[in-house]
């Protein structure tokens, strides 16, 4: 360890993306709760260069999201204990902590299957091993359920295409040819953002014809998309915390673990891009659309009956047959999904959230939320952040 009793640690983690910032929050929490560190940190993008001084540095530890073999070699040659936070094809021997991308692909597939979707696609990018893991497990889960998946590959395997308009034109043609309704997993939120733009250009309704789920739950991309993009939320803070704990042990002389430490995603944050139930019955589809658009206004089952030419008995029967839920239960599900979104992405009070989802009293909202999810609203908010 360095001459000072305080460990000197370099954080080579991007600040430009939500996952990197979440990792840093977890690291910050570990430091606050356990031990003081002298930390090097500066604004970075994922492809920022490694600082020139690393090869001469006499520090104690490195937490890194390594993006090039040159960067991996420089960290290795420094001889400083290091923990890797990015799954990669690069050649290095650093212990790895990260997201379980295989669980992620399965999660998205089940999200679509539960909504009655029977046609599937994936917008993939093959530049990194974690993209491939997401794609492969998604495809395998769909195929095990007896369905096939259409694949569209990002031009040049890049999230920064040189020919933006050409890419969008090709994607428009692909989406137009897919059987509808179709669920498409985009292997990153950036790809999901572009996919929704292609649907808009093609005049294709989202989510009624095409449902889309991205990956990483980057708030800016998800909320700037039209419509807002559903996405898999990472447990970034926990990964950062566990990585800091491991580095602390390495700096004290413990041996590095041989196995990777993988953390399951938190779940899918459902926004408008995938908030749909695919059904062939036009009257039932109208009822479900009415619920989706009006549930948070505090509607009752009688409001649905006033908007849809069905008797209460017929509506109950059709909904239970199609989605396994009653009209009342579907209203409640829609309200709670919106509540989860507000809890995870805003600082609104429980009283304000209750009003926004159609509940008159925050106490009743809290009771129902815990009954349906197994967690209090406060616990859920803490977990998501």
């Amino acid at each position: 360890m360095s001459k000072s009793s305080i460990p000197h640690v370099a954080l080579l983690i991007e600040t430009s993306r939500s996952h990197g910032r979440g990792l840093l929050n977890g690291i910050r929490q570990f430091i606050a709760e356990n031990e003081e560190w002298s930390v090097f940190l500066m604004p970075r993008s994922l492809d920022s260069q490694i600082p020139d001084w690393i090869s001469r540095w006499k520090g104690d530890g490195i937490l890194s999201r390594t993006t090039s073999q040159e960067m991996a070699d420089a960290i290795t040659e420094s001889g400083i204990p290091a923990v890797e936070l990015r799954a990669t094809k690069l050649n290095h021997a650093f212990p790895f902590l990260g997201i379980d991308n295989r669980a992620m692909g399965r999660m998205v597939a089940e999200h679509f299957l539960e909504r009655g979707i029977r046609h599937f696609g994936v917008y993939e990018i093959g530049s990194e091993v974690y993209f491939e893991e997401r794609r492969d497990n998604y495809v395998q889960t769909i195929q095990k359920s007896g369905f096939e998946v259409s694949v569209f590959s990002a031009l040049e395997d890049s999230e920064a295409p040189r020919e933006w308009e050409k890419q969008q034109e090709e994607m428009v043609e692909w989406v137009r040819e897919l059987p509808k309704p179709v669920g498409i997993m985009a292997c990153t939120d950036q790809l999901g953002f572009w996919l929704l733009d292609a649907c808009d250009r093609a005049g294709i309704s989202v989510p009624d014809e095409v449902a889309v789920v991205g990956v990483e739950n980057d708030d800016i991309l998800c909320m700037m998309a039209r419509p807002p993009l559903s996405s898999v939320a990472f447990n970034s803070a926990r990964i950062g915390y566990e990585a800091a704990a491991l580095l602390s042990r390495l700096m004290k002389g413990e041996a590095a673990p041989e196995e990777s430490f993988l953390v399951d995603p938190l779940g899918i944050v459902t926004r408008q891009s995938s908030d749909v139930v695919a059904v062939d019955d036009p009257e039932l589809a109208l009822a479900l659309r009415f619920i989706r658009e009006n549930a948070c206004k505090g509607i009752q089952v009688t409001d649905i009956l006033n908007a849809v030419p069905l008797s209460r008995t017929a509506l109950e029967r059709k909904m239970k047959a199609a989605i396994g839920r009653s009209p009342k239960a579907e209203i409640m599900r829609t309200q709670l999904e919106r509540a989860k979104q507000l809890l995870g992405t805003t600082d609104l009070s429980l009283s304000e959230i209750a009003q926004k989802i159609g509940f008159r009293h925050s106490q009743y909202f809290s009771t129902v939320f815990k009954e349906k999810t197994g967690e209090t609203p406060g616990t859920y908010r803490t977990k998501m952040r």
Side-chain angles (χ1 to χ4, degrees), residues 44-264:
R44 291 177 59 86
S45 64
L46 192 56
D47 57 358
S48 292
Q49 298 298 309
I50 189 170
D52 292 337
W53 47 261
I54 283 291
S55 61
R56 307 182 300 276
W57 188 47
K58 303 301 181 183
D60 301 300
I62 299 173
L63 292 170
S64 177
R65 296 259 293 160
T66 308
T67 55
S68 70
Q69 192 60 53
E70 179 184 11
M71 185 175 179
D73 292 344
I75 296 172
T76 300
E77 290 168 7
S78 75
I80 297 170
V83 176
E84 180 59 56
L85 293 165
R86 183 172 182 265
T88 178
K89 298 177 182 178
L90 300 174
N91 180 30
H92 65 68
F94 313 139
F96 170 69
L97 285 91
I99 288 289
D100 189 340
N101 286 282
R102 294 162 296 183
M104 187 182 306
R106 182 177 65 253
M107 188 178 289
V108 178
E110 292 173 349
H111 178 80
F112 288 143
L113 289 165
E114 289 171 357
R115 283 157 173 74
I117 293 173
R118 297 297 179 260
H119 302 292
F120 304 90
V122 60
Y123 182 9
E124 60 112 32
I125 180 171
S127 57
E128 298 290 348
V129 63
Y130 49 90
F131 294 145
E132 296 172 355
E133 289 173 345
R134 295 171 194 175
R135 174 200 64 204
D136 291 347
N137 202 255
Y138 171 78
V139 171
Q140 290 164 8
T141 304
I142 296 298
Q143 289 177 338
K144 285 180 182 178
S145 298
F147 304 99
E148 294 302 317
V149 181
S150 176
V151 178
F152 182 84
S153 298
L155 293 183
E156 307 147 10
D157 272 340
S158 172
E159 286 188 289
R162 290 190 294 268
E163 298 291 340
W164 154 251
E165 293 295 341
K166 180 181 178 182
Q167 172 183 275
Q168 293 306 97
E169 290 170 4
E170 292 187 6
M171 202 187 319
V172 165
E173 292 305 311
W174 174 64
V175 173
R176 280 177 173 161
E177 293 174 1
L178 294 174
K180 312 293 191 303
V182 59
I184 304 176
M185 173 183 173
C187 286
T188 72
D189 286 337
Q190 179 65 82
L191 301 187
F193 186 91
W194 291 337
L195 176 58
L196 292 176
D197 174 77
C199 290
D200 186 55
R201 295 183 183 205
I204 294 171
S205 175
V206 177
D208 299 290
E209 293 181 272
V210 176
V212 180
V213 174
V215 172
E216 192 172 333
N217 197 38
D218 187 293
D219 285 345
I220 297 298
L221 286 171
C222 290
M223 298 309 296
M224 282 288 292
R226 293 190 307 162
L229 175 66
S230 297
S231 186
V232 180
F234 295 174
N235 199 342
S236 305
R238 185 188 172 200
I239 295 171
Y241 189 100
E242 297 290 351
L246 173 57
L247 183 63
S248 177
R249 296 194 296 272
L250 296 180
M251 291 189 296
K252 294 171 183 174
E254 290 191 22
E258 295 182 2
E259 298 295 326
S260 298
F261 186 96
L262 301 179
V263 176
D264 284 343

Side-chain angles (χ1 to χ4, degrees), residues 309-357:
L310 287 172
S311 68
R312 190 178 191 113
T313 301
L315 178 63
E316 294 270 356
R317 174 174 49 80
K318 287 188 174 189
M319 286 193 64
K320 287 184 177 179
I323 65 173
R325 292 185 291 273
S326 68
K328 183 177 180 180
E330 182 61 11
I331 292 171
M332 181 69 71
R333 185 198 69 81
T334 305
Q335 290 174 301
L336 293 181
E337 287 298 324
R338 175 60 175 158
K340 289 178 181 179
Q341 179 186 344
L342 294 171
L343 287 166
T345 61
T346 76
D347 293 319
L348 293 174
S349 68
L350 295 188
S351 178
E352 290 171 318
I353 291 175
Q355 291 177 10
K356 284 185 176 294
I357 66 169

